[in-house]
């Protein structure tokens, strides 16, 4: 009888352990991938491009959850409140992880300490664009035009605190201009307003702007990276135009709340690396004006740390602050 009871206890314990093992990450539930910008922009492009292959590599459904606003900080702040269990991730990018927090009197979160960095997905140059009927043929000529039209020139952005905003401020600092900033709620409306003539310049990701450039709706003036964009071989870099201090690249990658276990971090990082090695996915990024640029967890965290130092210094020097 005693042996029978022992057997029943052992069976129950075994079933309990087996059930727990069966529910080990990522089996318990779908993974939520927070996207801090509305559909139609560069962050949305990356999210949709990696969503299906990444969920196949992980073996669990990935659901996109759009939380736009405040330069991506709404989404990042929400992530800091999530459990570090691998079921809530965020598609991080330059704006909310190297720029926007430093524009606020009280930082909503620490972009270095309050997140677990998993892996970088891409890096890409920004492209400065204007309307096809604008007299400037490149960025140097646009700067000359803006100086001749002091008080009239402006630049659009996808929102205060975004990389599009800070690239415009970097231009102001480098050129000595004081061009007015006109923020929009995302890249899509900023592009439409530029096409419509309400603004005169936008410096945004190639993945967002290439369709309009190739379709003749926008004119590329310069790329901000160290090399010319293969999709825009005739467009000079800012360095070639004598504006080397305008150089910048944007990043995108996966992050989780601080405290994500090393085991789950590595599993997601390995799955991401597998996805980013796929030639067809690399081709999709290249055709959109961005480049797959994988970095592991430690390397990605270090890159973001360096980017924080660059943009926070500009924010202090320009005395920028979100309203």
């Amino acid at each position: 009888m005693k042996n029978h009871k022992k057997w029943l206890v052992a069976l129950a314990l075994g079933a309990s352990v087996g059930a727990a093992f069966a529910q080990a990450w990522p089996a318990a539930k779908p993974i939520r991938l927070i996207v801090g910008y509305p559909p139609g922009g560069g962050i949305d492009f990356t999210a949709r491009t990696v969503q299906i292959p990444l969920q196949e590599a992980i073996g669990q459904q990935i659901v996109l959850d759009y939380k736009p606003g405040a330069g991506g900080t709404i989404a990042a702040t929400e992530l800091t409140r999530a459990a570090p269990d691998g079921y809530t991730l965020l598609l991080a990018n330059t704006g909310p992880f190297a720029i926007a927090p430093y524009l606020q009197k009280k930082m909503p979160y620490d972009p270095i300490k309050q997140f677990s960095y998993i892996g970088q997905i891409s890096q890409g140059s920004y492209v400065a664009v204007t309307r096809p009927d604008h007299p400037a043929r490149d960025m140097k000529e646009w700067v000359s035009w803006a100086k001749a039209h002091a008080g009239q020139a402006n630049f659009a952005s996808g929102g205060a605190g975004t990389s599009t905003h800070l690239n415009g401020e970097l231009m102001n600092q480098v050129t000595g201009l004081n061009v007015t900033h006109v923020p929009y709620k995302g890249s899509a409306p900023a592009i439409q307003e530029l096409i419509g003539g309400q603004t005169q310049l936008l410096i945004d990701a190639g993945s967002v702007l290439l369709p309009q450039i190739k379709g003749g709706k926008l004119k590329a003036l310069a790329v901000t990276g160290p090399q010319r964009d293969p999709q825009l071989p005739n467009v000079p870099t800012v360095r070639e135009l004598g504006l080397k201090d305008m150089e910048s690249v944007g990043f995108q990658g996966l992050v989780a709340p601080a405290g994500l276990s090393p085991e789950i971090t590595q599993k997601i990082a390995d799955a991401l690396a597998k996805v980013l090695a796929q030639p067809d996915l690399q081709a999709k990024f290249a055709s959109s004006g961005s480049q797959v640029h994988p970095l592991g967890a430690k390397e990605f965290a270090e890159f973001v740390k360096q980017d924080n130092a660059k943009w926070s210094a500009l924010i202090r020097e320009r005395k920028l602050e979100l309203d």
Side-chain angles (χ1 to χ4, degrees), residues 45-46 121-125 205-207 210 229 231 250 252 282-292:
F45 166 82
T46 298
I121 295 172
S122 68
Q123 279 186 21
S125 300
S207 57
L210 271 176
D229 189 325
Q231 298 295 317
Q252 298 175 358
Q282 294 177 2
K284 286 181 181 178
F285 274 91
S287 65
S288 72
S290 186
Q291 299 294 323
V292 168

Side-chain angles (χ1 to χ4, degrees), residues 20-29 31 58 60 85-89 260 263-269 271:
F21 181 80
Q23 291 300 307
W25 188 92
K29 58 184 178 180
I31 296 167
I58 290 176
Q60 179 58 277
D85 56 9
Y87 290 103
T88 306
L89 306 175
L260 184 65
E263 293 78 15
I264 295 178
T265 298
Q266 192 60 52
K267 286 180 180 179
I268 303 174

Side-chain angles (χ1 to χ4, degrees), residues 117-119 254 264-274 295-297:
Y117 285 82
I118 296 170
L254 287 184
I264 295 178
T265 298
Q266 192 60 52
K267 286 180 180 179
I268 303 174
D270 289 345
L272 182 62
K274 180 180 178 181
L295 290 177

Side-chain angles (χ1 to χ4, degrees), residues 20 30 36 55 95 153 162 167 172 182 204 244 294 297:
Q55 71 180 18
T162 63
N167 271 301
N172 275 338
V182 183
D204 208 336
K244 67 180 181 63

